[in-house]
Structure formats: C-alpha cells, structure tokens
Amino acid sequence: MDRSRFEEHDNPMDASKLKTQKQKVLLMGKSGSGKSSMRNIIFSNYVAKDVRRLGATIDVEHSRVKFLGNLILNLWDCGGQDAFTENYLTTQKSYVFSEVGVLIYVFDIESREFEQDLTTYNAVIKALEEYSSRAHVFCLVHKMDLVQLDFRESLFEEREAAIKGKSGRFARVVISYPTTIWDQSLYKAWGNIVHSLIPNLDVIENYLGQLAEAIDAEEIILFERTTFLTVMSVTSKIGEQNPYIDRHERLSNIIKTFKHSLAIFTSSSTSSHQFHDFHIQTPRFNVIIDKFTNNTFVLAVLPPGDAELNCTRINIATARDEFMKLDTTGDRSRREGVGYA
C-alpha cells in the first residue's frame, strides 16, 4: 500500500477552521404530518414501527444535537396545530424565525387541504425572509409509501412545483424530497440536509481521500455516530461502478436497525455503543466498520485478504489520532504530518 503524509504547510487544521458551529433548525408542518416521527427515527434511534405511540407535539420541543465535534444543531420541533402556527406567525414571530440556519417544512401527501397547507407554508416563508433571509430551506413531501408506486414520481413532481411556486425569494434554492419512514428515503433527505450544514467539508474530504488512497479502498464512508447519517464519502473509479446509487442511505438504515436489535438483545440503550467494530471477509472484497472518533464511524470497502484487513486496521488507527483534531473544538495548535503504513 502507498505511503502518504500530511505536510505541516498543507495542514488544514487551522484555528480559523475549527470554530464551533451552532445552527438553529426549524422543523415545521401541519399537525400529523410526521415531523416528530422522523425526528425520533433520525436522532433518537427509533424504528418505524415504534413511532406510532408518539403523541402530538405541544408548542415547541427543543433538542440540542451534537453532530460531529464542532457542529451543534438546535432543533426546534414546532407543533403544527392551527393555534400554535398562528402564534409562531404573530406574537412569537421574531423569537421563532430569528437566526435560523435551516427550515425543514413537512407536507403530508395525504392532506386533503393542500392549498391551505401551501398558504401556511408561504406565510412561514415570508417570516423567514424577514428574519433569516440566508437560511436553507428544505421541504419533505412525506408518507409517500401511501401513494401507489406508479403515481409516486408524477405526484411528487406536481407537489414540488407547487411548493416552489409558494417559496418566494427562496424559490431558486428550496430543495424538496419525497420521504417515508418505511425506507431509506428519510436518510437520504436528512443526510443531505445535515451535509449542507457541516463546516470543514473540504478538510474532511482531504483526510478521507488520503486514507482511502493509503488502504487502496474502493470506497470509504464517514458516518455520524448517533444518526449514522453520511458525513462524507470518497469513491474510487472501481467503486463508482457500484449500481446501487442509494447504498449510503441503505447502509444507514441497515446499521441503525442492527444497533436497535443489539439494544434489544443486550438490554442496553439504543444510543449506547453496542459495537466498536466489525468486518466481513469475502473472496472478492473486505468490508470493515470501525469506530473512528468520538462522534464518527468509518466504513471501508477494500481488496480481499487478511494482510489487507490488518493493514487497514493499522492505518485507521493512525488516521484516527489526526482526525480527532477535526472532531474537537479546543485544540488550536498547528500539527505535524502523520504517515500511513
């Protein structure tokens, strides 16, 4: 395997790039649209069948999510009952819509009052334009599993166009996703949303690229520890031939389900570390998933063989020490390069 090295003059671990990033995230939509269900699946390790027992959100539920070392998500799950929505848009307007980093608006595909839903959405957009004009806006057209497969794409495109038409100055940047809690579409949407907020993406990509080259990986994926959302991935030319374009979201879903099963059989919390690492060896390739930093796991697909697997473990351990500096906020010093075996 090739040896690579971080040189000090190229070291991206500059103090200016390690500032703590706090992002206010508004999760809004009509009552019963599925906001709290998806939040609990993504951030609280629920599985889809368990969210049925969740009640309606009353007013605003605040949660603080540490996503990687220097990104803090202040998630505001806003109850969607008419009385609460009216308060958000009147007496609480400046409190709710000031300093927003991301608005996630959820539309229920089954709603029989879609025009009214659009009117409410437009009022929210106007408030966002007034108080947080630089926010990102994402819309999730949810519960798509309830639509017949043959009509899903056309119905989503119709709703997407209607949403864009009510998005005001955000019309050019609003992004919509079709989602359901019953497949990996939810992970794709939330993964892209959170990905848009992560600072130092170029730094992370540079580190992962060097690690992938050192271990001759077909693909290497960095996952956030709690949500198992994809932070970054690096794919070789061979890896690009993989026909499963939604494999990252599939892996997120599979691993979260695996962690949930481990919690059941070990009587532990779904948020605890049920595993540190595991690997799969086949005649064609190796796959290893290893705890990387306090807040991340790394998955690598590499050539077959015991030597390749053992060398990869060593290189991941070497990279871990350096990558930890990306995952903390207190270390401001310049670092020397680190070599891979």
Side-chain angles (χ1 to χ4, degrees):
M1 294 189 180
D2 293 337
R3 178 181 295 271
S4 61
R5 187 176 181 85
F6 297 119
E7 300 295 343
E8 185 172 359
H9 65 275
D10 290 328
N11 195 328
M13 303 308 302
D14 190 271
S16 63
K17 296 185 178 182
L18 284 173
K19 296 177 181 178
T20 299
Q21 301 286 326
K22 294 183 179 180
Q23 294 283 357
K24 180 178 177 181
V25 179
L26 291 184
L27 181 58
M28 305 189 78
K30 187 177 180 180
S31 179
S33 60
K35 303 183 299 298
S36 297
S37 296
M38 63 175 65
R39 173 173 65 87
N40 280 284
I41 288 173
I42 296 295
F43 294 105
S44 299
N45 290 294
Y46 277 57
V47 293
K49 64 183 179 64
D50 290 339
V51 300
R52 296 171 181 171
R53 65 176 185 263
L54 295 173
T57 301
I58 305 301
D59 202 4
V60 179
E61 290 187 5
H62 299 272
S63 55
R64 190 170 180 268
V65 181
K66 185 177 182 181
F67 196 94
L68 297 183
N70 56 345
L71 176 60
I72 306 293
L73 302 183
N74 292 322
L75 188 61
W76 293 37
D77 185 356
C78 302
Q81 293 89 337
D82 292 342
F84 295 142
T85 302
E86 183 178 354
N87 285 336
Y88 306 149
L89 295 170
T90 54
T91 58
Q92 295 181 308
K93 192 174 180 181
S94 62
Y95 171 67
V96 172
F97 292 100
S98 293
E99 299 180 345
V100 175
V102 173
L103 167 67
I104 303 170
Y105 202 93
V106 182
F107 289 89
D108 185 346
I109 195 66
E110 275 202 314
S111 175
R112 298 180 180 180
E113 301 175 334
F114 182 58
E115 290 301 322
Q116 180 58 45
D117 296 343
L118 284 175
T119 300
T120 303
Y121 167 72
N122 183 249
V124 168
I125 286 294
K126 289 180 179 179
L128 197 67
E129 288 175 346
E130 182 178 355
Y131 291 97
S132 299
S133 60
R134 300 181 65 181
H136 299 273
V137 178
F138 297 91
C139 293
L140 307 185
V141 183
H142 197 47
K143 304 182 183 179
M144 291 297 294
D145 58 291
L146 300 176
V147 180
Q148 292 185 31
L149 186 60
D150 293 343
F151 300 105
R152 287 181 189 176
E153 184 175 356
S154 59
L155 182 56
F156 168 70
E157 290 175 352
E158 177 186 313
R159 295 294 169 89
E160 181 182 31
I163 291 168
K164 188 177 290 288
K166 292 292 185 178
S167 296
R169 284 183 287 176
F170 291 100
R172 296 179 60 184
V173 295
V174 62
I175 300 175
S176 298
Y177 295 99
T179 58
T180 170
I181 63 174
W182 298 103
D183 65 21
Q184 61 271 10
S185 62
L186 194 63
Y187 290 93
K188 177 180 180 179
W190 277 87
N192 289 340
I193 290 168
V194 175
H195 187 268
S196 71
L197 297 174
I198 298 173
N200 310 322
L201 277 177
D202 56 334
V203 179
I204 295 173
E205 184 175 20
N206 178 55
Y207 272 63
L208 279 188
Q210 293 186 48
L211 177 59
E213 183 179 356
I215 65 177
D216 195 23
E218 289 186 14
E219 186 161 31
I220 189 165
I221 309 169
L222 188 68
F223 291 105
E224 198 275 331
R225 176 183 65 85
T226 302
T227 63
F228 260 91
L229 295 174
T230 301
V231 175
M232 176 65 68
S233 66
V234 175
T235 308
S236 69
K237 291 183 178 179
I238 295 177
E240 289 174 353
Q241 298 175 17
N242 192 316
Y244 295 98
I245 59 175
D246 61 347
R247 59 190 178 276
H248 295 174
E249 296 80 44
R250 287 173 179 253
L251 285 166
S252 293
N253 201 356
I254 290 169
I255 296 170
K256 286 284 286 286
T257 302
F258 175 62
K259 281 168 59 71
H260 193 270
S261 297
L262 287 177
I264 293 174
F265 288 108
T266 60
S267 299
S268 60
S269 167
T270 54
S271 61
S272 64
H273 298 275
Q274 292 96 351
F275 69 93
H276 184 281
D277 68 274
F278 68 86
H279 69 271
I280 301 172
Q281 289 184 274
T282 77
R284 295 179 57 193
F285 60 86
N286 287 322
V287 175
I288 182 171
I289 301 178
D290 201 351
K291 183 182 177 184
F292 199 39
T293 67
N294 291 334
N295 297 294
T296 59
F297 275 80
V298 65
L299 180 149
V301 181
L302 50 134
D306 291 336
E308 284 76 7
L309 184 63
N310 292 332
C311 189
T312 294
R313 291 186 186 279
I314 294 171
N315 278 306
I316 288 177
T318 302
R320 179 182 293 119
D321 294 337
E322 188 69 13
F323 209 93
M324 282 287 289
K325 302 162 195 174
L326 273 177
D327 211 25
T328 58
T329 58
D331 197 334
R332 296 289 191 258
S333 61
R334 300 283 291 182
R335 311 287 181 172
E336 294 183 358
V338 57
Y340 290 132

